Amino acid sequence: METRKEQKERRRQEIIQAALELFVGRGYAATKITDIAKRANMSTGLMFHYFDSKEKLYEELIRMGLEGTAYPGEQKCEHAIDFFVNFTEALFAYMKEQPVVAKFFVLMAEAQRSEATPEHIREIAMKVNVIEQFVPIIEWGQNEGTIKEGSPLVISNAFWCSIQGIAERFATNQDIELPEAEWIVDIVRRK
Amino acid sequence: METRKEQKERRRQEIIQAALELFVGRGYAATKITDIAKRANMSTGLMFHYFDSKEKLYEELIRMGLEGTAYPGEQKCEHAIDFFVNFTEALFAYMKEQPVVAKFFVLMAEAQRSEATPEHIREIAMKVNVIEQFVPIIEWGQNEGTIKEGSPLVISNAFWCSIQGIAERFATNQDIELPEAEWIVDIVRRK
DNA sequence: TATTTCATTGAATATTTATTCAAATATATC
DNA sequence: GATATATTTGAATAAATATTCAATGAAATA
């Protein structure tokens, strides 16, 4: 038998999951509280028992997205390019296994990009800054000759934009077959 | 002196431009008619003199996006890979010169992807199907050995997701330096 | 079992946003 | 210049959506 505490936590999770799917599928602004309630099988009123407002619910999801975004350090790779291969393969495998991962990519991207995002929420979302995190790895790879010449920041940006584009497509259409990780790594690989 | 016809057309364009910028910057649902009116320097009432509704205005923009999406055929390239290089270089140059191009990428992507898009508008947006258009070129390149092995559709998808990701980033932040076209073409290039 | 506390509902209210419209102003036509 | 036609405004209305709340039922505690 479920305790009240457990039940409360489950309900919370049901709301969070429904909201994630809708925010990703329709965008935050186009998602109605009633839609979320319907998908979570509850009345609209009950939503407010768990979250003070639609915006607070959004904030909670963005916080979750931020916490879930723990990218590995330089690992134990012989070459920088191996880091990219391992990372990309792991990410794609993870997205296939847990489609929620791709959904969080889309959620965070919208929060970062949209001018309609409430400022305090955008600030939280902006703490995810993967592009800069990959710069030192690219510099390492350029020194050893496994990664292309060029501005590390611009290269990192190209890589991440591609990952982002792929995640966005996959998040809303899981029938799409993900590309080989190597193909995407070729963006940064020196020939 | 401006004739009435000219003035009407100018006003129309002012609305269209303001709407494009806002739809791209905030998303369709988060953009208020009053925002558009303000940006176009007119009263909200006047908007409805030019467009019957927010949705009709959206439809008009999506139609424009569809028309503007005329991709070249196989051109006169010696190798399929050259087609990709020329195409990508031309696209990036065009985006730098006319940032509106990147904005249309984002507009069309939202219309295609979002479950909140009115069905008849989504149908129009869906007519842009660049991924399939590039399949025969990839097949050609695979036969001559300049393009990677693998499902042409999946390769085309990988390429376009990257282009999409880059366009989305550039559309909202033109300070971002675009990557070298060659880097992105490396997604499809055979080593 | 009685009592208290928490979960839940859905209709009522508040708020936001799209749309209409009557009146005012400007431009064209005669 | 007089009349007609088109543009423009902004306040009024309508529609959509978020939020509140009083009432109900269910679970925990005594």
Side-chain angles (χ1 to χ4, degrees):
Chain A
M1 181 49 191
E2 197 181 41
T3 72
R4 273 206 160 152
K5 202 173 174 187
E6 284 164 348
Q7 184 196 23
K8 185 156 189 172
E9 183 53 26
R10 178 175 53 78
R11 275 293 206 201
R12 232 183 106 84
Q13 291 306 321
E14 282 165 357
I15 295 170
I16 281 176
Q17 189 180 328
L20 177 62
E21 279 163 14
L22 288 164
F23 289 166
V24 170
R26 314 173 59 87
Y28 172 69
T31 300
K32 289 173 278 193
I33 282 283
T34 54
D35 295 336
I36 303 173
K38 200 176 295 167
R39 183 176 282 237
N41 297 309
M42 64 181 67
S43 65
T44 53
L46 190 53
M47 296 277 314
F48 291 87
H49 184 68
Y50 288 90
F51 294 93
D52 289 344
S53 65
K54 182 180 160 186
E55 194 176 303
K56 277 276 170 61
L57 171 54
Y58 191 34
E59 185 181 326
E60 176 65 24
L61 273 162
I62 295 297
R63 283 189 195 284
M64 288 174 66
L66 175 62
E67 279 178 27
T69 313
Y71 291 104
E74 300 195 10
Q75 297 180 339
K76 308 152 227 71
C77 300
E78 197 177 343
H79 301 292
I81 197 70
D82 299 332
F83 171 86
F84 275 93
V85 173
N86 293 344
F87 172 81
T88 309
E89 276 175 359
L91 179 64
F92 286 179
Y94 198 21
M95 291 201 316
K96 265 185 255 192
E97 191 183 298
Q98 300 280 328
V100 78
V101 173
K103 290 187 199 299
F104 269 108
F105 261 87
V106 178
L107 185 86
M108 300 307 281
E110 189 200 335
Q112 287 192 354
R113 179 169 54 218
S114 174
E115 288 161 15
T117 306
E119 199 45 51
H120 71 282
I121 292 182
R122 209 213 279 229
E123 272 168 30
I124 300 167
M126 283 297 184
K127 289 183 183 166
V128 178
N129 192 341
V130 286
I131 294 176
E132 282 183 14
Q133 282 181 48
F134 274 44
V135 163
I137 300 164
I138 290 171
E139 285 168 343
W140 163 32
Q142 288 177 328
N143 287 334
E144 62 172 18
T146 58
I147 289 185
K148 282 186 169 88
E149 298 293 343
S151 157
L153 193 62
V154 178
I155 294 174
S156 183
N157 188 52
F159 174 77
W160 276 105
C161 285
S162 299
I163 295 288
Q164 183 67 44
I166 290 161
E168 288 193 4
R169 190 143 171 80
F170 188 70
T172 42
N173 185 357
Q174 284 177 235
D175 298 334
I176 289 293
E177 194 178 333
L178 285 173
E180 297 292 321
E182 295 277 356
W183 302 351
I184 304 309
V185 175
D186 281 346
I187 293 172
V188 307
R189 175 180 274 122
R190 189 179 301 190
K191 289 171 294 284
Chain B
M1 181 48 191
E2 195 180 41
T3 72
R4 273 204 160 152
K5 202 172 172 187
E6 286 165 349
Q7 184 195 22
K8 185 158 189 173
E9 183 53 26
R10 177 174 54 78
R11 275 292 207 201
R12 231 184 106 85
Q13 291 306 321
E14 283 167 357
I15 295 171
I16 281 176
Q17 188 181 328
L20 176 63
E21 279 162 14
L22 288 165
F23 288 166
V24 170
R26 313 173 61 85
Y28 171 69
T31 301
K32 290 173 276 191
I33 282 282
T34 53
D35 295 335
I36 302 173
K38 200 176 294 168
R39 184 176 281 236
N41 297 308
M42 65 182 66
S43 64
T44 54
L46 191 52
M47 297 278 313
F48 290 87
H49 184 69
Y50 288 92
F51 294 92
D52 289 343
S53 66
K54 184 181 159 185
E55 195 176 301
K56 277 275 170 59
L57 170 55
Y58 191 35
E59 185 181 326
E60 176 66 24
L61 274 162
I62 295 297
R63 283 188 195 285
M64 290 175 66
L66 175 61
E67 279 178 27
T69 312
Y71 290 105
E74 299 195 9
Q75 295 182 340
K76 309 154 228 66
C77 300
E78 197 178 344
H79 301 293
I81 196 71
D82 298 331
F83 172 86
F84 274 92
V85 173
N86 294 344
F87 173 81
T88 309
E89 276 174 359
L91 179 64
F92 285 179
Y94 197 22
M95 291 200 317
K96 263 184 255 191
E97 192 183 297
Q98 300 280 328
V100 77
V101 173
K103 290 188 200 297
F104 269 108
F105 262 86
V106 178
L107 185 86
M108 300 306 280
E110 189 199 336
Q112 288 193 352
R113 182 168 51 218
S114 174
E115 288 161 15
T117 306
E119 200 45 52
H120 72 282
I121 293 182
R122 209 213 279 225
E123 271 168 31
I124 300 167
M126 282 297 183
K127 288 184 184 165
V128 179
N129 191 342
V130 286
I131 295 176
E132 282 183 12
Q133 282 180 49
F134 275 43
V135 164
I137 299 164
I138 290 172
E139 285 168 344
W140 163 32
Q142 289 177 327
N143 287 333
E144 63 171 19
T146 58
I147 289 186
K148 282 188 171 88
E149 298 294 342
S151 157
L153 193 62
V154 178
I155 293 175
S156 183
N157 188 53
F159 174 77
W160 276 105
C161 285
S162 299
I163 294 287
Q164 184 66 45
I166 290 161
E168 289 193 3
R169 190 143 172 80
F170 188 70
T172 42
N173 186 355
Q174 284 178 235
D175 298 334
I176 290 293
E177 193 178 336
L178 285 173
E180 297 291 322
E182 295 276 357
W183 301 351
I184 305 308
V185 175
D186 281 346
I187 293 172
V188 307
R189 174 180 274 123
R190 190 180 298 190
K191 289 170 294 286

